[in-house]
Structures are given as structure tokens and as C-alpha cells.
Amino acid sequence: MNWLILIVAGLFEVAFTTCLSKAKETTGNTAISWMVGFFLSLIISMYLLYKATQVLPMGTAYAVWTGIGAVGTVLIGILFFKESTDFWRLFFIFTLIGSIIGLKVVSH
């Protein structure tokens, strides 16, 4: 259950970085709406990370949380913000995914 909480926390990290990207592209009330989404996602992500670290080792949980956030944010950038998909970028995303899986496998 704690791993599921950690994964959801990582997904909310992706949500807050996405909201931040959208907020910088807009103005007025639309930007404010994206910033509200940013702060709500940030609070939820941090709370879920806190809950997961009640049982999981802090170093492992933090590394997995940031890894999910990093991979998810890069994928959102590629899919929705037309960011680069060159070989090396994809190669390092996959090595990061492998590292996240490795941390889960070796955790007790």
C-alpha cells in the first residue's frame, strides 16, 4: 500500500510541474487557476510522500518520488509541450526508469 501511495505522490509531482508550466504560458485568471492547481498538487504530493515515508526508507522513497516526477514531467513535456525526443534523451529516461524499478526491487 505504501508503494502505491508513493506512486500517487509522484504523479501529483508531475501534476504540479505541469501546472507550473501551464501557468507561465498564460495570464490573468487562467494563470491564477493553474497556480491554484500547482499549490493543491504540491500539497497533496508532499502529504502523500510524508505518509509513504512513515514505512518506507526515506532515501528510497525520495529517490523513487523524484524519479517518477522527473520521468513523468519529461514525458508530459514530450507529449504536450513538443520537447525533444532525441536518442540520448530517451536513453537516459529509460535508465532512470530502470533505476526506479531497481530501487523498488532491492528495498526491504
Side-chain angles (χ1 to χ4, degrees):
M1 184 65 173
N2 291 298
W3 282 101
L4 180 60
I5 291 170
L6 185 60
I7 290 167
V8 173
L11 294 175
F12 273 100
E13 183 182 6
V14 174
F16 77 68
T17 57
T18 302
C19 288
L20 195 58
S21 291
K22 293 299 283 182
K24 78 175 187 176
E25 293 179 351
T26 59
T27 59
N29 288 336
T30 305
I32 291 170
S33 296
W34 283 111
M35 287 305 296
V36 169
F38 165 77
F39 284 114
L40 288 174
S41 297
L42 178 65
I43 290 166
I44 293 167
S45 182
M46 292 296 168
Y47 176 74
L48 293 174
L49 176 62
Y50 162 76
K51 292 301 286 180
T53 59
Q54 298 299 300
V55 174
L56 301 174
M58 177 59 80
T60 300
Y62 183 74
V64 169
W65 177 76
T66 57
I68 291 169
V71 169
T73 300
V74 169
L75 292 176
I76 292 294
I78 289 169
L79 296 172
F80 298 104
F81 297 104
K82 311 236 184 314
E83 293 180 3
S84 168
T85 58
D86 64 48
F87 171 80
W88 288 111
R89 189 163 191 198
L90 295 176
F91 172 78
F92 287 114
I93 290 169
F94 282 107
T95 60
L96 185 54
I97 292 168
S99 296
I100 294 167
I101 292 168
L103 282 171
K104 165 65 171 106
V105 170
V106 300
S107 292
H108 299 258

